[in-house]
């Protein structure tokens, strides 16, 4: 029996990601030194929204992605994904819900396997069974081809080739297409186009947004490129020293004046935005 309407409504309205008073500390170099990478962070991420995390080096962006992924666990606070308490669950217990595309293309695909075999692993992950067993080759090929075609790189005709022979841009396209085939509840992007040349970066960024919108995937992207964040995402969270210092969405984001943004950021944190963040936005 399906749940009552009120319960279904609640599931749709409730945020996909609910972070409450999230704190993560690391031991510093000195014996008693402790560094707070995430400092009492409370954030809701709406279902299906595309959110960018921007901030200077060491602001806590990667730590936050690791907390969402489960490769790090919180010291204090809580994390719910789709109303399920994930605070204590390590990455392997939530991997079927979450896909991650990393900055380094070599970290996203297994280069000893073919493109098709990489997709087979992605599909098996979606089915919550990472056992190496015979996979449905036709179904995997159909899904892989249709996801790869979007990138216009001809990769759909090279399924039998080793991913070790692909360029960085091609590997990132394969990684994004694999994420699309897995159709995760949450997609995490860690500067996934920053290592690519501008032309390939644009293709991968554009298709990423198409996938996110078409499949309604809640997405959190770390980037140093404010221009990329402003043109593709619904909401920009500016981080500094483990806190969100600015939260821009809707009209506030649409009416954004970069000089004013830089001024406000500096006033709030006492430090200027990194040059590359502003330069990327202005170009
Ligand atoms: N495993 C770790 N051990 C100790 N300190 C860590 C660890 N991971 C991160 N930190 C520290 O936590 C702080 C936040 O790091 P984080 O990597 O989250 O920043 P970031 O915003 O992603 O920066 P960047 O833009 O340079 O990638 C940094 O000062 C970093 O040195």
């Amino acid at each position: 029996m399906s749940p009552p309407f009120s319960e279904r409504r609640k599931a749709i309205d409730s945020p996909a990601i609910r972070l409450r008073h999230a704190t993560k500390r690391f031991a510093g170099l000195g014996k008693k030194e402790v560094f707070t990478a995430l400092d009492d962070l409370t954030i809701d991420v709406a279902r299906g929204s595309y959110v960018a995390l921007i901030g200077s080096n060491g602001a806590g962006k990667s730590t936050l992605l690791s907390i969402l992924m489960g490769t790090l666990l919180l010291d204090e606070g809580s994390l719910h994904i789709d109303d399920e308490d994930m605070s204590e669950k390590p990455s392997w217990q939530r991997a079927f819900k979450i896909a991650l595309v990393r900055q380094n293309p070599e970290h996203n695909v297994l280069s000893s396997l073919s493109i098709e075999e990489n997709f087979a692993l992605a599909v098996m992950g979606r089915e919550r069974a990472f056992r190496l067993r015979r996979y449905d080759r036709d179904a995997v090929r159909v899904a892989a081809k249709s996801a790869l075609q979007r990138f216009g790189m001809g990769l759909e005709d090279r399924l039998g080739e080793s991913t070790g022979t692909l360029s960085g841009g091609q590997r990132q396209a394969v990684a994004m297409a694999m994420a699309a085939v897995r159709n995760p509840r949450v997609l995490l992007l860690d500067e996934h186009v920053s290592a690519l040349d501008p032309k390939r970066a644009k293709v991968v960024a554009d298709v990423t947004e198409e996938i996110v919108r078409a499949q309604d995937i809640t997405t959190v992207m770390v980037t140093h490129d404010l221009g990329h964040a402003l043109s593709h995402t619904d909401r920009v969270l500016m981080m500094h020293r483990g806190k969100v210092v600015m939260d821009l969405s809707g009209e506030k984001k649409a009416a954004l004046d970069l000089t004013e943004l830089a001024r406000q950021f500096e006033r709030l944190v006492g430090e200027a935005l990194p040059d590359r963040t502003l330069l990327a936005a202005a170009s």
Side-chain angles (χ1 to χ4, degrees):
M1 204 172 67
S2 62
F5 179 74
S6 57
E7 285 300 309
R8 275 182 283 146
R9 186 72 253 166
K10 199 173 117 206
I12 293 166
D13 288 344
S14 64
I17 298 171
R18 202 165 71 224
L19 204 57
R20 289 288 174 274
H21 303 291
T23 297
K24 181 71 194 172
R25 299 184 193 92
F26 294 111
L29 287 178
K31 258 191 179 167
K32 289 188 180 159
E33 202 180 313
V34 173
F35 187 85
T36 306
L38 293 184
D39 190 0
D40 194 24
L41 210 56
T42 289
I43 307 173
D44 281 346
V45 177
R47 216 164 287 277
S49 63
Y50 190 179
V51 176
L53 299 179
I54 291 252
S56 36
N57 293 122
K61 307 178 295 293
S62 301
T63 303
L64 178 51
L65 280 200
S66 302
I67 291 291
L68 296 175
M69 191 66 208
T71 44
L72 286 175
L73 295 178
L74 288 169
D75 293 324
E76 283 163 34
S78 65
L79 166 69
H80 285 75
I81 295 180
D82 281 346
D83 291 322
E84 186 180 346
D85 191 349
M86 295 286 176
S87 314
E88 305 283 330
K89 288 192 176 164
S91 57
W92 64 270
Q93 285 183 355
R94 49 177 113 158
F96 65 95
K97 272 185 184 238
I98 302 173
L100 168 68
V101 181
R102 297 179 175 88
Q103 179 179 23
N104 186 339
E106 287 174 22
H107 295 162
N108 291 320
V109 289
L110 290 173
S111 36
S112 55
L113 299 182
S114 69
I115 298 180
E116 179 181 316
E117 287 164 338
N118 272 278
F119 271 91
L121 286 175
V123 171
M124 284 193 266
R126 181 186 62 185
E127 288 165 4
R128 248 180 138 159
F130 285 98
R131 277 168 261 134
L132 285 176
R133 59 181 182 204
R134 284 179 69 83
Y135 60 92
D136 180 344
R137 293 189 80 168
D138 289 340
V140 166
R141 281 182 187 166
V142 168
K145 280 184 179 232
S146 129
L148 287 169
Q149 266 161 359
R150 292 169 140 151
F151 292 87
M153 298 180 189
L155 292 165
E156 60 280 9
D157 301 321
R158 298 172 61 182
L159 292 187
E161 280 181 40
S162 159
T163 52
T165 63
L166 302 180
S167 71
Q170 290 167 333
R171 285 183 205 209
Q172 290 308 72
V174 169
M176 268 313 304
M178 279 162 45
V181 164
R182 282 189 55 201
N183 199 21
R185 303 293 300 155
V186 172
L187 173 62
L188 305 175
L189 304 170
D190 194 358
E191 297 189 57
H192 72 307
V193 300
S194 68
L196 312 186
D197 68 63
K199 203 170 139 206
R200 282 282 156 89
K202 180 171 178 355
V203 172
V204 176
D206 288 349
V207 180
T208 298
E209 189 181 353
E210 263 175 54
I211 292 167
V212 167
R213 305 290 178 205
Q215 298 179 211
D216 209 21
I217 305 172
T218 307
T219 301
V220 179
M221 170 176 69
V222 168
T223 178
H224 281 285
D225 182 340
L226 187 54
H228 181 184
L230 292 174
S231 56
H232 289 280
T233 68
D234 306 312
R235 182 177 173 200
V236 177
L237 300 176
M238 313 276 292
M239 289 187 70
H240 185 72
R241 296 197 183 159
K243 286 187 182 295
V244 170
V245 291
M246 293 174 89
D247 184 347
L248 305 159
S249 60
E251 285 174 14
K252 247 199 293 181
K253 176 172 161 285
L256 198 65
D257 172 312
L258 284 180
T259 320
E260 181 51 27
L261 171 78
R263 208 174 292 140
Q264 276 189 34
F265 185 87
E266 197 165 345
R267 212 168 33 230
L268 278 166
V269 309
E271 268 176 43
L273 267 172
D275 282 350
R276 68 175 166 143
T277 304
L278 287 170
L279 284 174
S283 61

